[in-house]
Amino acid sequence: MTSTTAELEALLMQRSLTDAQLLAAADAAADFRILPNATVLKIGGQSVIDRGRAAVYPLVDEIVAARKDHKLLIGTGAGTRARHLYSIAAGLNLPAGLLSQLGGSVADQNAAMLGQLLAKHGISAVDGAGLSSVPLFLAEVNAVVFSGMPPYKLWMRPAAEGVIPPYRTDAGCFLVAEQFGCKAMIYVKDENGLYTGNPKTSKNATFIPKISVDEMKAKGLQDSILEFPVLDLLKNARHVREVQVINGLVPGNLTRALAGEHVGTIITAR
């Protein structure tokens, strides 16, 4: 199967966009990595930001120190306030698209707060369209903050069951990392990583340092530490073929993970 520009263009002009030969030719075309030296961090809403000053301030200091050697795209989760909004909206029988807007508003608030804490260091928060200016922020100050909720809003794909938006901030941050062709995706949460059960409620839960997507699904762990759709996004990704989940409440964990150390749990596409 060839993938020259002329032949691919010919297929695009002549075939349906779901044609198997066209899709194979498009898949064979090389992808351009836009920000290959950048790392995306997802700062948990409920796990980190909702804990307030005691959790957020040390992490802010660590981010400021780390950006001297690393280019950072810092996405924010939504957390407890979004869950409260989801409960009200779902009780009113409102659709997933509206719940997506509500959850996005909380992630936006967290991005605004984190951006203000980092402002004196020259690190700004950007919203939707502002993502186009990310390369400038990275070139100037090595870091930028964004809201982790993907901007699907009313165009959110409904889940198979219920009305909770399936693509939330874990997925949104991963998509930014993949589409920009970043070198790493790190989820900063309040657990050491993935366990065989919920470590908050199960005393027999065992820590898992490394696992593949297929292994997670086989063990029934697909929705235990990351949003379920992230696993399928990871499986189909071209650039980001593994993600790392760390405990951001432990000082130094983020710095070690950025340095390439195996901290927490690594989840691989294969």
Side-chain angles (χ1 to χ4, degrees):
M1 177 61 63
T2 184
S3 59
T4 65
T5 301
E7 290 163 334
L8 179 57
E9 183 177 3
L11 287 170
L12 283 165
M13 295 300 106
Q14 299 166 8
R15 307 289 183 89
S16 162
L17 292 180
T18 57
D19 178 82
Q21 187 178 1
L22 185 153
L23 293 175
D27 187 60
D31 276 356
F32 179 80
R33 301 187 76 139
I34 301 171
L35 296 172
N37 297 318
T39 296
V40 175
L41 308 178
K42 191 284 177 95
I43 309 299
Q46 188 174 48
S47 55
V48 178
I49 297 175
D50 287 352
R51 292 175 180 269
R53 180 172 182 152
V56 175
Y57 270 41
L59 199 57
V60 164
D61 292 339
E62 200 163 352
I63 288 170
V64 171
R67 64 86 181 255
K68 297 175 183 177
D69 300 310
H70 303 277
K71 294 184 180 295
L72 307 174
L73 282 77
I74 308 159
T76 54
T80 305
R81 281 166 289 139
R83 290 167 182 259
H84 178 61
L85 287 170
Y86 290 155
S87 70
I88 296 173
L92 294 172
N93 296 322
L94 295 173
L98 186 60
L99 268 70
S100 177
Q101 288 181 288
L102 295 172
S105 69
V106 181
D108 291 348
Q109 292 168 12
N110 286 339
M113 288 192 290
L114 190 58
Q116 295 303 319
L117 291 175
L118 290 164
K120 66 181 181 181
H121 303 285
I123 301 173
S124 301
V126 298
D127 56 17
L131 283 173
S132 61
S133 62
V134 161
L136 175 61
F137 286 103
L138 294 184
E140 293 296 322
V141 296
N142 273 8
V144 66
V145 179
F146 68 97
S147 171
M149 194 75 169
Y152 296 143
K153 299 183 179 179
L154 290 175
W155 289 265
M156 171 65 71
R157 178 180 179 179
E161 297 180 2
V163 293
I164 302 300
Y167 295 93
R168 301 185 300 277
T169 53
D170 283 351
C173 289
F174 181 85
L175 287 168
V176 167
E178 171 64 14
Q179 300 303 333
F180 275 134
C182 296
K183 69 177 182 179
M185 173 73 241
I186 300 174
Y187 290 94
V188 183
K189 296 185 177 275
D190 63 351
E191 296 292 349
N192 292 330
L194 177 67
Y195 287 78
T196 55
N198 185 343
K200 292 184 174 69
T201 58
S202 175
K203 295 181 180 180
N204 298 322
T206 304
F207 176 68
I208 302 173
K210 190 170 185 178
I211 194 170
S212 71
V213 168
D214 289 343
E215 289 171 331
M216 281 188 69
K217 290 185 176 182
K219 293 177 182 290
L221 302 173
Q222 59 264 38
D223 201 26
S224 54
I225 191 71
L226 298 177
E227 297 158 14
F228 175 78
V230 173
L231 300 185
D232 291 328
L233 294 173
L234 175 59
K235 184 89 173 179
N236 297 323
R238 286 180 173 232
H239 302 303
V240 182
R241 301 292 292 166
E242 66 177 38
V243 300
Q244 192 167 2
V245 183
I246 68 169
N247 189 341
L249 304 181
V250 177
N253 266 0
L254 176 57
T255 301
R256 292 170 58 202
L258 286 168
E261 290 188 39
H262 187 159
V263 182
T265 296
I266 293 176
I267 303 171
T268 62
R270 293 182 179 177

